[in-house]
Amino acid sequence: MKQQYRVICTENPRLYPQKTFIDIYPADISRPENCITHDVLLQMRRLANPEVDHIINGIILTDCGAGNIHLQYETVTNRRLRQYQENIRQRLDPAIIKTFHEMRHAGKDRTLEVSFGNMAVLFDLHAPSLDAPVSARQNALIEENKRIRYIAAKRQELIARRSKEPYANKPHLLLAWKQAQYRGD
């Protein structure tokens, strides 16, 4: 049975010379805890090793069984980017496969433990540090959260204002007054 994994490769030559971090995480959509994107993996790696950047986007590792591993990279159309991707693949493919075999030999299904507590803190929509969203989805979530908070504040303001009106605690008198006004009494 084929199993797929998301892979991110990060490095920072200034802070971590000659070190490439390879993180592998299951990409099984049938389990919610495995529905983690490459961006989330990058953020979790940055918790452990600040200021690292990804080398290349969108790597999917497929374990076909019996030691057969297929690496699929994000498709690029630009000739220069394709050449860059080929150069990177020559360097990263052996390291990714080695890391995957070490991970499986240790009996694990991931190299990076992503805790939902850390994710909740990291992607807290109320946090002031999220002024510059990482992805379009994160930006949409932030905007939706702002809209919901605005509506809730307006609703509370309306409730507070109406509670101060003279007939707020006597709706039957207000109804009688409106009916009399409608009839012309």
Side-chain angles (χ1 to χ4, degrees):
M1 184 172 133
K2 293 182 180 180
Q3 292 180 331
Q4 290 189 331
Y5 299 86
R6 285 183 175 77
V7 180
I8 63 162
C9 300
T10 55
E11 63 185 7
N12 184 334
R14 183 178 53 83
L15 293 177
Y16 312 103
Q18 305 296 322
K19 178 71 174 162
T20 300
F21 300 101
I22 298 172
D23 296 310
I24 302 172
Y25 201 84
D28 184 14
I29 60 172
S30 64
R31 296 181 60 193
E33 64 271 15
N34 291 345
C35 294
I36 304 251
T37 65
H38 287 91
D39 289 336
V40 173
L41 287 175
L42 176 62
Q43 295 300 325
M44 296 310 285
R45 170 50 63 191
R46 285 180 176 162
L47 284 178
N49 302 96
E51 298 183 31
V52 293
D53 287 318
H54 63 291
I55 301 169
I56 194 162
N57 292 335
I59 304 171
I60 298 291
L61 181 145
T62 304
D63 181 13
C64 301
N68 295 331
I69 295 172
H70 175 68
L71 291 171
Q72 179 181 354
Y73 288 74
E74 184 177 317
T75 305
V76 291
T77 56
N78 185 325
R79 185 176 58 85
R80 287 186 186 211
L81 288 177
R82 268 197 315 266
Q83 184 62 40
Y84 172 76
Q85 190 178 59
E86 285 303 316
N87 292 339
I88 291 294
R89 284 189 79 158
Q90 290 175 2
R91 181 172 66 115
L92 290 181
D93 282 1
I96 292 171
I97 292 170
K98 179 183 176 216
T99 303
F100 180 75
H101 285 304
E102 289 172 356
M103 175 191 79
R104 297 300 284 184
H105 183 70
K108 296 182 179 181
D109 68 341
R110 61 197 69 182
T111 59
L112 183 67
E113 285 300 323
V114 177
S115 102
F116 290 111
N118 287 345
M119 277 182 30
V121 169
L122 185 63
F123 292 107
D124 184 14
L125 297 178
H126 305 292
S129 64
L130 289 179
D131 294 336
V134 175
S135 65
R137 177 70 178 142
Q138 189 177 5
N139 187 33
L141 288 171
I142 290 170
E143 292 301 319
E144 180 67 14
N145 189 20
K146 285 180 185 175
R147 188 183 71 78
I148 289 170
R149 292 175 125 208
Y150 176 77
I151 289 171
K154 285 295 188 182
R155 182 173 291 135
Q156 289 299 326
E157 182 182 311
L158 180 65
I159 289 170
R161 189 176 62 228
R162 287 205 174 149
S163 68
K164 295 177 183 174
E165 291 179 357
Y167 296 107
N169 295 330
K170 301 173 187 163
H172 60 284
L173 292 177
L174 180 62
L175 179 63
W177 177 73
K178 287 200 179 226
Q179 286 175 344
Q181 194 176 27
Y182 179 75
R183 286 190 305 249
D185 291 344

